[in-house]
Amino acid sequence: MNPDRDSIAEAVKRVIIAESGPGLQPSALTEDEPLGGELLRISSMRLLGILTRLEDELDTPLPDDLFAGRSYDTVRDLVDLAVEGAEGSPAR
């Protein structure tokens, strides 16, 4: 069974915090938090690291077609991407 949105959101937040290092708890990070804002300051290179770690954390490949024509401005954008990736992967 694929994980639900809440567990995916928690995983995304854990990875973002691990990669950006602000010392927050995942529960303190809202989905509206800007990735490039004052708190997270995630660069495009760091974003690539986050996406790679998400694939590992969720044990789900994120197909290249999920990235076409999209921008990632908030935590919600990454949660949505991870949810789409999980929904598109075979149940484990």
Side-chain angles (χ1 to χ4, degrees), residues 10-36:
E10 279 300 304
V12 169
K13 290 176 183 181
R14 279 193 311 273
V15 169
I16 288 171
I17 289 170
E19 286 287 322
S20 62
L24 296 172
Q25 293 298 316
S27 60
L29 194 61
T30 70
E31 289 193 23
D32 293 325
E33 186 65 44
L35 298 175

Side-chain angles (χ1 to χ4, degrees), residues 9-89:
E10 279 300 304
V12 169
K13 290 176 183 181
R14 279 193 311 273
V15 169
I16 288 171
I17 289 170
E19 286 287 322
S20 62
L24 296 172
Q25 293 298 316
S27 60
L29 194 61
T30 70
E31 289 193 23
D32 293 325
E33 186 65 44
L35 298 175
E38 288 296 313
L39 180 63
L40 297 176
R41 298 180 188 194
I42 294 173
S43 67
S44 58
M45 290 302 291
R46 189 167 282 160
L47 181 60
L48 290 175
I50 288 171
L51 295 173
T52 300
R53 274 184 86 163
L54 276 175
E55 288 182 316
D56 293 341
E57 177 84 16
L58 299 172
D59 194 27
T60 301
L62 299 175
D64 292 341
D65 63 338
L66 289 179
F67 300 101
R70 293 176 83 156
S71 63
Y72 302 97
D73 300 315
T74 64
V75 171
R76 176 175 286 108
D77 295 333
L78 292 182
V79 171
D80 290 344
L81 171 75
V83 167
E84 286 180 52
E87 288 174 348
S89 71

